[in-house]
Structure formats: structure tokens, C-alpha cells
């Protein structure tokens, strides 16, 4: 709320018809963006874009400058983020549609899977979960509780078993059951651990023995309170598994999750979902304008 | 890999070389690089600004008296200042109670349950204590189970009450249980919570009040970005915690959150987590952390090269 008043105050000083943004406004914009974890690089990029745009179009008042800011920031989010998806839709092209969920430790993978299962089931889809985190203490029990809550079947093995084998079993079971969508949970792993990243590549490869073009979606989950390290996460997980979409969690807190702007821009990966709580219903389809607006609140 | 600050300072040092003395102008250019490196390392925006101002004043004040080159001086000043910021008395844990009570707090997924297990193991093996782990996370699916698995891994008893949704009661009963069974340290694991979740913050404040712990630890993910200050401040306002635990430092994050937190609450960072396994715990070294944040493997060699 502090940044809002000061930022909008400065914006209020803007004079109509200007073709240059005041340094004050730019300094303030820098503070708002960096404080939202957008990062210095992306912030400079945004500022350049705004300066270029204003030099070309001028602006007629605060509202217009505000709209320009919003558009230019949002424009960095991957093109595929149309910003108007409202539903938890699944492409019809691949049945079952296989989603593999990856990310570093504790970001919210398992919880996000529970929430997705709830949404897909509500949309009338037949969902199967695969408990391929066989490492973390009680990870399988945790996913089991989500499966019970959402009343969807789960495929699991013992703790310590081979995650690739769990993924294989899950896909086979899903095919037999005529499932519409399969979601595979994986153990959290830091992206600088080569062996663990290779394991992920293997899990992915083994799935293709059952369904040749699986997984159809590799969802990287990022914790909304993570800072610039999320860049390396996106980079390394993309290298290991060709990430195709992002989910940003814990946006019900005070963290803004701005780092995904640069990630989406650089890697051209769309943000699909945001997590806004620990409950079953606390998952939303990403809306880029709402997201950008939250920086200024 | 990241551009390291040493590379950047090397660049900035070229600006300084040939001047022989630090002026308002060349110090500003160098500090711009320093500030940027701090922001890239997730040091809070305001704190990075304050920090560079402090360094600037010190640099300008000392320049005539020193025999060091201006560039060398800058590197040393930045490093020393950071180390001092994160340092302070490296206190251990206060284990004077009988039993001593340790309360874990922090955001969701920061590593509280894992660290509870590591700490129990550390106290058992290194300090010859007989710890009791207490499961006060009554919300997260399988949280109690998780603590039991962790307790089994380190051979430490876990106290839990299936079905009881009242953490205050569970914690109090655990203390009675510990006294009866000769446990001299109690480690209370709690649910992750957001600082803005009033109900949950009140809950942990109530637990804190009821059990009056010798040590309340704030567990924070080292990858945390700009929000670290808000969270640390909010938890400290409610719990007045004794120390901080920085987890997941086995990653490649710079961990600038460490400076932000230390600056805003002025509490020592007591432990770091360096892996998922139960022995991946270490004490905190301010100077190593300063190197890490600045991205300098070896500042000394940089100074010698300059
Ligand atoms: N407030 C909030 N908490 C969340 C959200 N998503 C997940 N969490 C919490 O974050 C913690 C970690 O979530 P998990 O789903 O276990 O995370 P994970 O990535 O599966 O963790 P690992 O498997 O250990 O790597 C849990 O306490 C969740 O309840 C969210 O959107 N908001
Ligand atoms: N690599 C690494 N992983 C860690 C470390 N500490 C914890 N983890 C992992 O981080 C994830 C979350 O840890 P937990 O101990 O469940 O975190 P928590 O704070 O208890 O989570 P909630 O109870 O959901 O709030 C797990 O996958 C842990 O294995 C660490 O120091 N390094
Ligand atoms: Mg998980
Ligand atoms: Mg826990």
C-alpha cells in the first residue's frame, strides 16, 4: 500500500501531452518493479520500452501513462498468455493428456496437483495421479490425501522405489482406465544437482514407452516468493525436461512473483496457473493484467 | 552462470584505475555495480540503497589515509561491511531449560519439518541430548506422518496426537510427556503460514505464549526474494524470535535474503540447511555468506590482483 500511494502520487504529477517520462516516475517504477522481484535486467527492459513508447505516442494524462505501463509490462509475458483464458481447459488432441509437474523443493508441486485434479474433475474429466515422488518423507501419503479429497485414483509404490517405474505404471493404468488426464508428481530437487536432474529426464523418457509423445505438458512450479534464482530454475529444468508451462504459487502472501515476467519473456514459456492458498479451490488461471496490477497495489 | 560481482568490479575498477584517489564521481560508478550485484542477489531494494550509501561515506572518508589502491579499498570495504552486517555474536542455542523448548516458525515449504529432524539429530549426536519432536502442524496433508518418518530416520521419538486440531494443547501435552520420559530438549514443528494470515499468526503466537520457548527459530528459504523483509519483520513482531535458519543453501542462490533479514530484525542467523538429508546442517559463517552474495570465490585474491 506504501508503494501504491507514492507511485501513484508521482504519476499524478505527470503533465498531459508529454513525450518524456519524468525521472521521478522512472525511479519510482524501478522501485516498484525491483521490489516485486522483476529483477534489474527486466526492469531496465521495461523502462526502455516505456520510454520508447512514450516518445512515439506521447501521453495525455495519468490514466494513459498508467495504461501504457501496464501494457508494456504485460507485453513481456509470453505471447501465448492471451490473458483471457478463464477455464481449466485441456486440449482434446491427446488422450490421456499427460502432465508432468517439476520444480525445486517445497514450491507447491504436490498441492498444485491436488488443486488441478479438483478443477479437471469438476470439468468432468477423468483424472489419474501418479506418486513419482518416492523420496521425500511422506510425499506419497500427502498425494494420497489429495487423491482422497478430490476422489480421483492414484498410482503409487513404496517409498524409495524407482520414480520412472511409478510414472510408467501410472500411464499404463491411465490408458487402461480410459483416463482423460494424468498428472505426475515428482520429488523436489534443486536444479544444480546433476544426478537428480538426469533422473527427471529419465522419468520423462520412460513415460514415452507407454505414450510416445508424453508428457504433453511439463509444468514447472515456481514459488512466488522466490527471487532471481527462479531464472536458473527455469533454465535448468527447461534443459532437463523442456518445460512447457509455469505455475506460480503462494501469491496469497505479500510476495509478488515478478520474476516470472523475465522468465516468460526469455524462455517463451506461458504462465498457466497461480496458487492463492492451501485449499482445493485456491488455484486460478493466470491473468496477466491482474498479475501486473498487483505490483502497484 | 551469473556474472559475478568480482567481474563487474573488475570492470568498474578500470574506471578507478589511473585516478589514484576516490572521488565522488568514480565511487558512484563503482557503487552502481555493487548495488546492482546486491539486487541480483535478492538483497532488498531499500537495504541495497542504504548499504551502498554507507560504503560510499566510508570510502570517501578514508581515501587519503590509505596505502591501498582505490579499487582494492572498495572491494575490501564492501566485503567487510557485508560481513559485519550479517555477523554479530555468533550465539549457539540456549539449552538452559529443563526441558529446553525450541519452536519452529516460518512460511509454507521453507523447510521447518526437515530442519526439525536435522536439529534433533544434531542435538542428539553432537550435544548428547535426548530430544523429543512434537507434531503441531495439524493442517498440511501428511505433515504428522512426515515428522514421524523424519524422527525414525534420526532415531528420535515423535509426539503427536492424531485428530487433535489444537496445537496449543498438543504442545502443552508434549511438555508433560517430555518431563515424564526424561527428554531434555523439545522441538516443536508447526504448520507453514503466511505473515498476512491473521488467524494462523495468532495461532502460533498462542503456542509461543503457552510454552514459552527458550528458542524460537524463523526458518526461511535462502532463495527468497524481495519479500523476505516483510515476512521476517511480521514474524518477529509476533514472536520476537531468537534466531534465523537459512535453508536450501545447497542450491546456487546467492542468498541476499540473509542480509535483508538481518538488517530488518537484527537477529542472528544460527544455522543453515545444505541438503535434504538429516546431516545437512551447518552453523552460519558471515564471511562465507558475504562472499557468496557478492559472487566472489576469493576476495583476497581479487584484492591482491588489483
Ligand atoms: N499459502 C499458500 N501455500 C501454498 C500454496 N501452494 C502450496 N502451499 C503450501 O506450501 C507447502 C509446500 O507445498 P507442497 O505441495 O508440499 O510443495 P512441493 O513442491 O510438493 O514440495 P516437495 O515435494 O517437498 O518438493 C505446503 O504447506 C502447502 O500447503 C499456495 O498457493 N499458497
Ligand atoms: N535441497 C534442500 N532441500 C531442503 C532443505 N531443507 C528442506 N528441504 C526440502 O524442502 C522441502 C520442504 O521442506 P519441509 O521440511 O517439508 O518444509 P516445511 O517448512 O515443513 O513445509 P510446510 O510444513 O509445508 O510449511 C522438502 O522437499 C525438503 O526435503 C535444504 O537445506 N536443502
Ligand atoms: Mg511434493
Ligand atoms: Mg512442515
Amino acid at each position: 500500500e506504501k508503494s501504491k500511494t507514492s507511485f501513484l502520487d508521482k504519476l499524478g504529477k505527470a503533465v498531459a501531452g508529454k513525450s518524456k517520462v519524468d525521472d521521478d516516475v522512472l525511479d519510482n517504477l524501478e522501485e516498484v518493479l525491483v521490489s516485486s522481484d522483476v529483477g534489474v535486467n527486466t526492469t531496465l527492459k521495461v523502462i526502455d520500452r516505456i520510454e520508447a513508447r512514450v516518445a512515439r505516442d506521447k501521453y495525455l494524462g495519468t490514466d494513459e501513462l498508467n495504461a501504457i505501463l501496464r501494457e508494456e509490462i504485460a507485453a513481456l509475458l509470453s505471447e501465448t498468455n492471451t490473458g483471457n483464458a478463464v477455464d481449466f481447459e485441456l486440449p482434446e488432441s491427446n488422450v490421456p493428456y499427460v502432465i508432468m509437474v517439476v520444480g525445486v523443493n517445497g514450491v507447491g508441486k504436490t498441492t498444485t496437483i491436488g488443486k488441478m485434479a479438483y478443477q479437471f474433475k469438476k470439468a468432468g474429466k477423468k483424472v489419474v495421479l501418479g506418486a513419482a515422488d518416492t523420496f521425500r518423507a511422506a510425499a506419497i501419503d500427502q498425494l494420497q490425501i489429495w487423491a482422497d479429497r478430490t476422489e480421483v485414483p492414484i498410482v503409487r509404490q513404496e517409498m524409495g522405489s524407482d520414480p520412472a517405474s511409478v510414472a510408467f505404471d501410472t500411464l499404463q493404468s491411465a490408458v487402461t482406465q480410459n483416463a482423460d488426464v494424468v498428472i505426475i508428481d515428482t520429488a523436489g530437487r534443486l536444479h544444480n544437482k546433476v544426478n537428480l536432474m538426469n533422473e527427471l529426464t529419465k522419468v520423462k523418457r520412460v513415460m514415452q514407452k507407454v505414450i510416445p509423445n508424453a508428457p504433453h505438458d511439463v509444468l514447472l512450479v515456481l514459488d512466488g516468493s522466490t527471487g532471481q534464482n527462479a531464472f536458473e530454475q527455469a533454465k535448468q529444468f527447461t534443459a532437463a525436461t523442456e518445460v512447457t508451462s509455469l505455475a506460480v504459487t503462494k501469491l496469497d502472501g505479500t510476495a509478488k512473483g515478478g520474476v516470472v515476467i523475465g522468465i516468460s519473456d526469455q524462455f517463451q514459456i506461458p504462465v498457466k496457473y497461480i496458487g492463492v492458498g492451501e485449499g482445493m479451490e485456491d488455484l486460478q488461471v493466470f491473468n496477466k493484467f491482474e498479475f501486473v496490477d498487483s505490483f502497484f497495489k | 552462470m551469473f556474472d559475478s560481482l568480482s567481474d563487474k568490479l573488475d570492470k568498474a575498477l578500470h574506471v578507478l584505475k589511473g585516478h589514484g584517489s576516490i572521488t565522488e564521481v568514480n565511487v558512484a560508478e563503482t557503487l552502481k555495480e555493487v548495488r546492482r550485484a546486491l539486487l541480483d542477489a535478492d538483497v532488498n531494494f531499500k537495504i541495497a540503497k542504504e548499504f551502498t550509501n554507507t560504503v560510499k561515506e566510508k570510502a570517501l572518508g578514508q581515501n587519503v589515509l590509505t596505502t591501498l589502491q582505490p579499487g582494492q579499498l572498495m572491494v575490501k570495504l564492501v566485503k567487510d561491511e557485508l560481513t559485519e552486517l550479517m555477523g554479530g555474536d555468533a550465539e549457539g542455542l540456549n539449552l538452559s531449560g529443563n526441558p529446553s523448548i525450541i519452536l519452529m516458525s516460518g512460511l509454507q515449504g521453507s523447510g521447518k519439518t526437515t530442519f526439525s529432524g536435522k536439529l534433533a539429530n544434531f542435538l542428539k549426536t553432537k550435544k548428547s541430548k535426548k530430544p523429543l519432536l512434537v507434531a503441531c502442524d495439524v493442517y498440511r496433508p501428511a505433515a504428522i506422518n512426515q515428522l514421524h518418518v523424519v524422527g525414525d530416520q534420526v532415531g528420535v521419538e515423535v509426539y503427536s496426537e492424531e485428530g487433535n486440531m489444537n496445537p496449543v494443547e498438543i504442545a502443552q501435552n508434549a511438555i508433560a510427556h517430555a518431563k515424564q520420559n526424561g527428554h531434555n530438549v523439545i522441538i516443536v514443528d508447526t504448520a507453514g503460514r503466511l505473515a498476512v494470515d491473521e488467524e494462523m499468526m495468532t495461532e502460533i503466537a498462542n503456542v509461543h505464549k503457552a510454552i514459552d520457548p527458550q528458542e524460537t527459530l524463523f526458518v526461511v528459504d535462502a532463495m527468497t526474494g524481495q519479500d523476505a523483509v516483510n515476512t521476517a519483520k511480521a514474524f518477529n513482531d509476533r514472536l520476537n524470535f531468537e534466531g534465523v535458519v537459512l535453508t536450501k543453501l545447497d542450491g546456487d542462490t546467492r542468498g541476499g535474503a540473509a542480509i535483508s533479514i538481518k538488517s530488518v530484525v537484527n537477529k542472528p542467523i544460527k544455522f543453515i540447511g545444505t541438503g535434504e538429508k538429516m546431516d545437512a546442517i551447518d552453523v552460519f559463517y558471515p564471511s562465507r555468506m558475504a562472499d557468496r552474495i557478492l559472487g566472489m570465490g576469493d576476495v583476497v585474491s581479487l584484492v591482491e590482483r588489483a
Side-chain angles (χ1 to χ4, degrees), chain B residues 109-273:
Chain B
S110 56
K112 296 173 295 300
T113 307
T114 307
F115 187 77
S116 299
K118 290 178 184 178
L119 187 59
N121 187 46
F122 173 84
L123 293 173
K124 180 183 153 185
T125 57
K126 300 264 158 54
K127 306 275 169 191
S128 312
K129 295 285 181 184
K130 188 187 174 193
L132 177 69
L133 284 161
V134 183
C136 280
D137 178 355
V138 297
Y139 307 103
R140 169 171 166 165
I144 298 175
N145 249 343
Q146 186 188 357
L147 194 66
H148 274 283
V149 172
V150 160
D152 283 349
Q153 283 172 0
V154 299
V156 167
E157 190 185 332
V158 176
Y159 183 89
S160 64
E161 296 184 18
E162 208 64 53
N164 188 346
M165 293 297 284
N166 184 340
V168 172
E169 243 174 60
I170 299 170
Q172 284 171 329
N173 294 342
I175 295 173
H177 177 92
K179 284 180 175 160
Q180 275 160 21
N181 295 277
H183 293 279
N184 45 19
V185 184
I186 301 179
I187 301 168
V188 181
D189 182 29
T190 62
R193 65 201 74 221
L194 293 170
V196 287
D197 188 335
E198 194 45 44
E199 203 176 309
M200 289 296 284
M201 291 306 283
T202 303
E203 182 201 84
I204 198 165
N206 288 339
V207 172
H208 184 263
K209 205 168 133 201
I211 64 176
D212 191 22
Q214 276 74 49
E215 289 279 344
T216 300
L217 298 177
F218 175 62
V219 181
V220 60
D221 186 322
M223 294 176 274
T224 310
Q226 296 286 320
D227 192 51
V229 287
N230 301 327
T231 310
K233 190 169 180 312
F235 273 79
N236 195 49
D237 285 349
R238 295 301 281 265
L239 301 174
N240 191 18
F241 54 70
E242 272 66 34
V244 178
V245 176
L246 210 53
T247 63
K248 309 181 198 174
L249 274 170
D250 45 327
D252 58 6
T253 186
R254 289 286 185 72
I259 303 178
S260 307
I261 292 169
K262 185 72 205 303
S263 310
V264 76
V265 298
N266 196 27
K267 296 289 170 69
I269 299 169
K270 295 201 171 185
F271 290 100
I272 62 171

Side-chain angles (χ1 to χ4, degrees), chain A residues 97-101 116 215-219 243-245 272-273:
Chain A
Y97 188 76
V98 180
I99 305 170
M100 179 183 181
V101 179
M116 286 164 72
H216 308 103
D217 187 11
V218 177
L219 179 71
V243 172
T244 47
S245 57
K272 256 194 187 159
Y273 308 121

Side-chain angles (χ1 to χ4, degrees), chain B residues 29-104:
Chain B
E29 273 173 80
T30 312
L31 287 176
K32 213 170 119 191
E33 292 299 334
V34 173
R35 177 170 167 271
R36 163 123 199 213
L38 294 175
L39 292 177
D40 284 344
D42 295 318
V43 174
N44 177 268
F45 185 85
K46 291 202 173 80
I47 292 165
K49 214 169 188 173
E50 281 165 27
F51 179 85
T52 42
N53 284 340
T54 311
V55 172
K56 179 178 169 180
E57 265 149 43
K58 295 205 170 169
L60 291 173
Q62 287 181 24
N63 104 61
V64 194
L65 300 171
T66 185
T67 53
L68 286 173
Q69 291 289 305
Q72 295 175 321
L73 181 65
M74 286 304 301
V75 173
K76 192 175 152 15
L77 275 174
V78 170
K79 166 81 201 287
D80 288 353
E81 193 63 26
L82 268 190
T83 306
E84 199 188 303
L85 235 177
M86 284 184 295
D89 338 330
E91 304 159 53
L93 291 174
N94 170 4
L95 298 173
S96 64
N98 196 20
S100 302
I101 302 172
I102 303 171
L103 177 66
M104 297 298 168

Side-chain angles (χ1 to χ4, degrees), chain A residues 104-118:
Chain A
V104 301
N105 307 84
V107 288
K109 294 176 291 301
T110 308
T111 308
T112 302
I113 290 168
K115 295 170 182 175
M116 286 164 72
Y118 169 76

Side-chain angles (χ1 to χ4, degrees), chain A residues 109-110 133 136 139 142 185-186 188, chain B residues 140:
Chain A
K109 294 176 291 301
T110 308
D133 177 358
R136 216 221 43 225
Q142 185 188 0
D185 192 16
T186 62
Chain B
R140 169 171 166 165

Side-chain angles (χ1 to χ4, degrees), chain A residues 135-148:
Chain A
F135 177 75
R136 216 221 43 225
I140 301 169
D141 300 332
Q142 185 188 0
L143 191 68
Q144 178 75 58
I145 290 172
W146 278 105
D148 295 345

